[in-house]
Amino acid sequence: GPYVLVTPNGTRRKQLQQSKLSFAEKELDDLERWKKEHRPGPITLVPQRLGGNESEAQVRQNQQMILMQSKYQKKHKREEYVKAKKAAEEAEILNKKAIQREKAERLEVKKRQEEMQRREMFLEDQKYKTNEVLNRLDMDLPKSDSCQIANPGPESTAWKRSHAYKQALQEDENRRLEEMKQEQQRKAELMEFKQKQEEEARTRAHQKEQRRVNNAFLDRLQNKTQPDNIYQPGYTG
């Protein structure tokens, strides 16, 4: 559609620009004047001594001592940590060895018990077969009457020999069983005594390690409570 072109008024624009510049300059002048009016005055302090009662050389020396103490404490803590770690590893290895030893001893006891059971079964089977043979021999012998008892013949003599042999076998078997029981009892007592000794040795080792750790802790505590002793004359740490 139609439009109207307005020619810019250069004089008016120049007047506006000059008024803006003059207003900004006025604000800057007001700000500078306000700063001059509110400028802080001179500070007056009463003279006094600063820095405490020690000289600069003493302060430097104390700082050096504190630095050396901190280095020594860090080194000591690191050494204690390494010792404690090594002791824990050794204790764990000893514990594993003790467990393996106990397993081997239990396995040995189990093998002995199985061997004992096999021997007992063998003796029972041998006894059963011997009794079976003797019973068959008794059944094959003829029945003897009173006259035959009065005049013993070869049959009664054979029965006596079989009966004596059976009794001797029974006594020998009982004797062997008793010896096996006594041997097993001695082995069990020896095993119990050995286990008791190992348990006492482990207890003594644990108590010794605990005393060592407690002494190390007390030493560290004493070093913390008396840090200046490491710098006394005669100290070679």
Side-chain angles (χ1 to χ4, degrees):
Y3 62 92
V4 179
L5 180 61
V6 178
T7 304
N9 190 351
T11 305
R12 179 63 177 170
R13 180 183 296 174
K14 190 179 294 184
Q15 290 177 357
L16 289 174
Q17 290 177 354
Q18 290 178 355
S19 64
K20 289 180 179 179
L21 289 174
S22 62
F23 185 75
E25 291 175 356
K26 183 177 179 301
E27 287 185 346
L28 289 175
D29 294 337
D30 293 340
L31 179 61
E32 290 295 332
R33 187 168 47 256
W34 184 86
K35 287 183 179 179
K36 290 179 181 180
E37 292 176 356
H38 294 81
R39 181 178 299 172
I43 299 175
T44 56
L45 295 176
V46 179
Q48 57 182 355
R49 184 175 180 178
L50 301 178
N53 297 325
E54 296 179 355
S55 62
E56 183 178 357
Q58 291 178 350
V59 172
R60 297 293 183 185
Q61 185 179 2
N62 292 334
Q63 290 178 351
Q64 188 68 20
M65 290 177 62
I66 292 172
L67 180 61
M68 293 175 65
Q69 288 177 2
S70 63
K71 290 182 179 179
Y72 175 77
Q73 289 176 358
K74 288 180 181 179
K75 182 180 178 181
H76 186 68
K77 287 181 180 179
R78 184 165 59 252
E79 292 176 353
E80 289 296 329
Y81 173 75
V82 172
K83 290 181 181 179
K85 185 177 180 181
K86 186 176 180 180
E89 291 176 354
E90 292 178 355
E92 185 177 0
I93 292 172
L94 292 176
N95 189 16
K96 289 181 179 179
K97 287 183 179 180
I99 292 173
Q100 293 296 330
R101 192 182 301 109
E102 290 178 358
K103 287 183 179 179
E105 291 174 355
R106 286 198 295 269
L107 183 62
E108 184 68 20
V109 171
K110 185 177 180 181
K111 288 181 179 179
R112 291 175 182 174
Q113 290 178 353
E114 291 177 354
E115 182 67 22
M116 177 74 82
Q117 291 177 359
R118 284 195 295 269
R119 292 176 65 180
E120 289 178 355
M121 291 175 64
F122 174 75
L123 292 175
E124 288 291 334
D125 184 65
Q126 187 178 8
K127 178 182 176 182
Y128 174 77
K129 290 180 179 179
T130 303
N131 290 331
E132 186 178 359
V133 172
L134 294 176
N135 291 330
R136 190 182 301 115
L137 182 62
D138 290 339
M139 292 175 65
D140 293 338
L141 291 175
K143 300 296 183 179
S144 59
D145 53 6
S146 59
C147 294
Q148 291 174 344
I149 295 174
N151 300 314
E155 292 84 0
S156 63
T157 304
W159 181 84
K160 288 180 180 179
R161 285 199 303 267
S162 65
H163 183 70
Y165 178 70
K166 186 188 294 186
Q167 188 175 4
L169 285 177
Q170 183 68 30
E171 291 177 355
D172 184 63
E173 182 181 359
N174 293 333
R175 180 180 57 79
R176 282 185 293 179
L177 286 175
E178 185 66 25
E179 290 178 355
M180 290 173 64
K181 289 180 180 179
Q182 291 179 359
E183 182 181 2
Q184 190 68 20
Q185 186 177 2
R186 286 195 301 271
K187 290 179 180 179
E189 291 176 355
L190 181 62
M191 185 70 67
E192 184 179 359
F193 178 72
K194 189 175 180 181
Q195 290 178 355
K196 186 177 180 181
Q197 285 184 338
E198 291 177 353
E199 184 66 25
E200 291 178 354
R202 285 196 296 269
T203 303
R204 288 194 298 270
H206 178 69
Q207 292 176 355
K208 184 178 179 181
E209 180 63 21
Q210 190 174 7
R211 286 196 299 270
R212 189 190 68 79
V213 173
N214 292 335
N215 292 331
F217 174 75
L218 293 175
D219 292 339
R220 291 198 304 271
L221 185 61
Q222 186 176 3
N223 290 332
K224 289 181 179 180
T225 54
Q226 298 177 356
D228 295 335
N229 290 338
I230 63 174
Y231 299 101
Q232 296 295 331
Y235 176 73
T236 59

